[in-house]
Amino acid sequence: MSLKEEIEEKRKEMIVDSYPMSIGEVMNLYKDGEIDVHPEFQRFYRWDEEQKTKLIESILLGIPIPPIFVSQKTNGIWDVIDGQQRLSTILQFLGVLKKDDNTKYDPLVLRATKFLPSLGGVSWNDENLFLPEQKINFKREKLNFTIIKEAAENDTSKYEMFQRLNTGGTHLSAQEIRNCLMIMINKPLYELMNELHNDTNFKECTPLTDTQAEERYDLELIVRYILYTEFSDDFVDQIDKTRSMDVFLTEELEKYAQNKDNNSLFQEQRKKFCKIFTLLNDSLSENAFKKYQNDKFKGPVMVAAFESIIPGIFLNLNYWELHKEELVDRVKEIYTQKEFVNATRRGTRALDRMSQLIKFSRMWFAHEN
């Protein structure tokens, strides 16, 4: 197929429409359950009260704000894929925004701004500061919507669009994007990931910096665990090693999430995960994924150590639960093995390192019994 034909074919799959809608109409759609803003996403966005006030100020002053992208499901419901924070801020100001447990957020109280100092202390229901006619005018202001219409229930175009619109690095980390995708695609998987990352033994084995914690690196390690224990040797051999690790993890997790058959394995996965990290915590505690050098463990959690340990332990858990002292020695010896040294050599691409270490791990932790 030529480039021209490919473009024409893909354009047919993207059914897009655009039109403005008043804030009052949007509020009614939200109240009627016809637009889903994903209240769970609020934990991934970092707008403070000042940023929220500036958005409301822009609307009051008639300053255009970027369009909101939604996916229209086959049942007609709009699923917001970009603009959650803008729309949530507006709905919170109107006093109608609900959390995922169906309780309302506290009303938004605005701050004074350079252009509108009298905004300080204004809230929607305070008619002494925000008059009825001002409320009517606010509800008549227009928001621009771009609507992507799903062709089928399993249409994945909205997930692709979500990633493209949220990969500018302005407000979401790569893992936060994955978290949002999991909520959209397979919420039970997202709930499993959250449950696993709260496991006490896992936390003891993976002490993180404040920055890593803020960017949800603990959940990225859970993603790596789920995927690494699923990948076959043939699969890791065939990976395009020139790709970005962030994109690779996102795309592979998306594939995993879309296969709802995997959900039946969650209970089994939960049990094995807990057993693995109980074993590692009992044996190595916070040193489980730190480099062993000059007779001591040191440094931060190493993703290369995670890749060298988890796949092999996963396949041979029963043996290592009975041989904890030998396990500690095996972990200490990893860092002098030529396979580890070669895979972690400067200049090695992340996916190439991952591929080499997964296969090394399965060999290194194998046993004759």
Side-chain angles (χ1 to χ4, degrees):
M1 187 181 290
S2 69
L3 175 60
K4 179 176 180 293
E5 291 170 328
E6 288 178 356
I7 293 172
E8 290 174 349
E9 184 67 23
K10 286 300 177 184
R11 283 182 71 93
K12 290 177 184 176
E13 297 177 10
M14 298 295 290
I15 308 170
V16 180
D17 198 1
S18 299
Y19 52 81
M21 180 175 289
S22 75
I23 288 174
E25 290 175 300
V26 174
M27 179 175 67
N28 289 332
L29 280 178
Y30 178 74
K31 285 181 174 180
D32 292 340
E34 296 178 19
I35 184 166
D36 188 351
V37 299
H38 293 290
E40 309 99 317
F41 284 15
Q42 296 308 307
R43 72 195 72 175
F44 306 122
Y45 293 88
R46 306 190 185 104
W47 274 22
D48 55 26
E49 301 305 302
E50 183 177 355
Q51 289 171 299
K52 291 178 181 180
T53 295
K54 284 184 177 179
L55 176 73
I56 302 302
E57 178 193 45
S58 294
I59 295 171
L60 292 171
L61 294 177
I63 299 171
I65 64 174
I68 293 167
F69 286 76
V70 300
S71 170
Q72 181 171 303
K73 301 177 184 179
T74 53
N75 62 3
I77 302 297
W78 281 5
D79 194 6
V80 180
I81 58 176
D82 185 67
Q84 284 92 356
Q85 189 63 69
R86 277 167 276 149
L87 201 50
S88 294
T89 296
I90 293 167
L91 292 170
Q92 185 183 2
F93 180 59
L94 293 168
V96 297
L97 182 65
K98 293 182 178 181
K99 303 177 183 179
D100 50 355
D101 63 2
N102 217 34
T103 60
K104 286 186 179 181
Y105 279 87
D106 292 335
L108 178 61
V109 179
L110 304 179
R111 296 187 176 189
T113 68
K114 177 181 178 181
F115 296 114
L116 299 176
S118 296
L119 270 186
V122 166
S123 64
W124 182 257
N125 290 323
D126 187 343
E127 295 191 354
N128 292 321
L129 296 177
F130 202 63
L131 304 176
E133 56 265 33
Q134 291 174 313
K135 294 169 73 170
I136 291 173
N137 289 335
F138 185 85
K139 288 194 290 185
R140 287 177 178 169
E141 291 291 336
K142 302 285 188 180
L143 301 175
N144 290 311
F145 283 81
T146 297
I147 303 98
I148 304 160
K149 297 181 180 179
E150 291 186 10
E153 286 291 345
N154 62 350
D155 188 355
T156 60
S157 59
K158 68 177 179 182
Y159 310 133
E160 175 68 22
M161 185 66 70
F162 178 86
Q163 291 181 67
R164 294 188 183 209
L165 292 169
N166 287 279
T167 312
T170 54
H171 56 285
L172 290 180
S173 69
Q175 183 54 43
E176 287 170 324
I177 289 174
R178 292 183 204 113
N179 294 341
C180 293
L181 282 170
M182 289 309 95
I183 292 171
M184 295 169 71
I185 302 171
N186 188 336
K187 193 171 181 181
L189 175 58
Y190 171 74
E191 291 170 345
L192 172 68
M193 289 165 52
N194 259 309
E195 184 179 340
L196 297 184
H197 105 279
N198 283 322
D199 180 85
T200 301
N201 290 300
F202 171 74
K203 288 183 175 293
E204 291 286 340
C205 292
T206 56
L208 303 179
T209 66
D210 291 342
T211 299
Q212 287 175 323
E214 184 178 349
E215 295 181 351
R216 307 316 304 273
Y217 188 64
D218 48 355
L219 279 170
E220 178 174 316
L221 290 176
I222 300 296
V223 171
R224 289 176 183 266
Y225 171 90
I226 291 171
L227 296 179
Y228 292 174
T229 55
E230 287 289 318
F231 291 159
S232 68
D233 287 343
D234 287 342
F235 176 81
V236 295
D237 279 336
Q238 296 166 11
I239 292 170
D240 177 1
K241 311 300 193 300
T242 64
R243 296 170 64 197
S244 155
M245 176 61 85
D246 277 343
V247 172
F248 172 80
L249 291 176
T250 301
E251 291 181 351
E252 292 305 318
L253 183 63
E254 184 179 332
K255 291 177 189 175
Y256 183 88
Q258 286 170 355
N259 182 0
K260 298 300 194 297
D261 290 342
N262 290 324
N263 291 24
S264 63
L265 303 174
F266 285 176
Q267 187 62 29
E268 182 181 332
Q269 289 173 322
R270 184 182 294 108
K271 287 181 180 178
K272 194 157 187 179
F273 179 94
C274 292
K275 285 185 175 182
I276 287 172
F277 281 96
T278 296
L279 169 63
L280 290 173
N281 193 25
D282 288 347
S283 306
L284 294 151
S285 188
E286 65 177 19
N287 295 319
F289 304 109
K290 294 181 179 181
K291 189 170 186 178
Y292 187 75
Q293 193 174 38
N294 299 326
D295 298 325
K296 63 179 179 180
F297 289 100
K298 60 182 180 180
V301 170
M302 290 179 64
V303 69
F306 196 87
E307 293 165 342
S308 300
I309 295 170
I310 290 299
I313 297 292
F314 180 85
L315 292 178
N316 303 278
L317 178 59
N318 292 338
Y319 177 84
W320 293 112
E321 283 181 317
L322 300 174
H323 299 82
K324 293 181 181 179
E325 290 185 9
E326 183 184 350
L327 173 62
V328 173
D329 291 337
R330 275 267 157 175
V331 169
K332 289 178 178 179
E333 293 169 11
I334 283 174
Y335 305 99
T336 58
Q337 301 305 302
K338 64 179 181 180
E339 292 88 350
F340 181 88
V341 173
N342 289 337
T344 57
R345 199 181 304 278
R346 185 184 298 275
T348 304
R349 290 180 178 271
L351 278 173
D352 194 7
R353 182 204 67 226
M354 179 206 75
S355 174
Q356 293 182 53
L357 291 181
I358 287 177
K359 290 186 292 182
F360 163 66
S361 178
R362 290 169 179 168
M363 174 275 296
W364 186 245
F365 288 99
H367 57 88
E368 294 180 0
N369 295 337

